[in-house]
Amino acid sequence: MLNIKTFHVNPLDENCYVVSDETKQCVIIDCGAYTADEQNEIIGYIKSEGLTPVSLLATHGHLDHNFGIDAMHKAFGLKLQLHRGDERLVRELKQQAESLFGMKIDFVPQLGAFLNNGDDIHFGNHSLKTIAVPGHTMGGVAFYCEEENVLFSGDTLFRLSIGRTDLPGGSMFMIINSLRYLCQLPDEVKVYTGHGPSTTIGYELAHNPYLDR
């Protein structure tokens, strides 16, 4: 059974997830922790629970989902894994920080293996399947645990909304196609979003105006 710990971080109220199981192995998804206190809270939780992080994952390359990746690299030796379509975005985090947020960061992202559609990320007795969902960014992905009916959607699908497509690399046509694919998942799949509350595929099919297309 999965244990999913949510951290609400940074000025954009982004959701970072630490996902573990009974083996105490875990993955960190979308570590947008900006302040030292936010980063230390995540590190402290992992250590206090006796967890062993095996992967640092990003659903996409926007800065608000990756503020904390350097802290996770220093604490646990993890290099970021994301889709190659967002390689440029994550390599240009400094430019993103200045142009989009008026902030400064002082680290160079450490990148590991790139993720492809269909790749399985294994930890403990579970795995997450990588699903390519371009549209919010060119290299957006979601992570799906079929066994537990859980999806981490990043900024592709929100409760009653979807991710914006007006930033570089965004495409309304592509995100709608991605949403159509995600909505083929079972209704009971619980969706952990990049911002805001969790939802289910069934609830979004019934109520999300963007899915009525």
Side-chain angles (χ1 to χ4, degrees):
M1 183 174 180
L2 292 182
N3 181 41
I4 301 170
K5 175 69 172 178
T6 306
F7 297 88
H8 304 287
V9 294
N10 75 48
L12 277 74
D13 196 24
E14 186 262 342
N15 295 329
C16 170
Y17 300 103
V18 177
V19 186
S20 60
D21 71 6
E22 61 277 3
T23 69
K24 296 293 188 176
Q25 287 194 346
C26 71
V27 296
I28 306 167
I29 300 175
D30 284 351
C31 190
Y34 178 60
T35 67
D37 285 346
E38 291 174 344
Q39 295 165 3
N40 289 334
E41 183 182 8
I42 296 169
I43 294 168
Y45 167 78
I46 290 170
K47 291 183 176 180
S48 68
E49 294 295 315
L51 302 179
T52 301
V54 296
S55 293
L56 176 62
L57 308 173
T59 58
H60 63 290
H62 283 156
L63 180 60
D64 56 320
H65 291 249
N66 293 286
F67 277 122
I69 59 174
D70 187 57
M72 298 305 114
H73 175 67
K74 290 176 178 176
F76 304 113
L78 299 176
K79 294 184 178 181
L80 183 68
Q81 292 179 266
L82 80 169
H83 192 278
R84 186 179 292 277
D86 276 8
E87 178 182 5
R88 181 175 177 179
L89 275 178
V90 82
R91 290 196 185 279
E92 295 179 350
L93 289 182
K94 287 186 177 182
Q95 293 91 320
Q96 281 193 58
E98 294 175 1
S99 62
L100 297 179
F101 299 92
M103 300 174 175
K104 291 188 177 181
I105 59 171
D106 59 359
F107 64 85
V108 176
Q110 301 296 310
L111 300 184
F114 290 106
L115 299 173
N116 298 301
N117 185 52
D119 283 354
D120 289 317
I121 298 107
H122 299 282
F123 65 103
N125 295 324
H126 289 82
S127 64
L128 299 173
K129 182 172 291 293
T130 304
I131 301 174
V133 286
H136 179 61
T137 65
M138 290 297 294
V141 297
F143 300 111
Y144 177 46
C145 181
E146 182 176 7
E147 177 186 359
E148 304 288 351
N149 282 323
V150 167
L151 177 77
F152 298 91
S153 65
D155 285 4
T156 297
L157 177 62
F158 299 135
R159 186 178 185 274
L160 299 177
S161 190
I162 64 174
R164 61 190 294 184
T165 59
D166 60 332
L167 296 173
S171 165
M172 179 60 76
F173 174 79
M174 293 178 72
I175 202 170
I176 292 299
N177 283 339
S178 295
L179 291 164
R180 286 173 177 163
Y181 183 87
L182 292 182
C183 287
Q184 296 178 45
L185 298 176
D187 286 357
E188 61 269 23
V189 168
K190 186 168 184 180
V191 181
Y192 289 87
T193 62
H195 301 269
S198 60
T199 185
T200 66
I201 292 295
Y203 182 86
E204 296 311 307
L205 280 170
H207 301 287
N208 191 322
Y210 291 93
L211 303 188
D212 185 23
R213 296 190 175 211

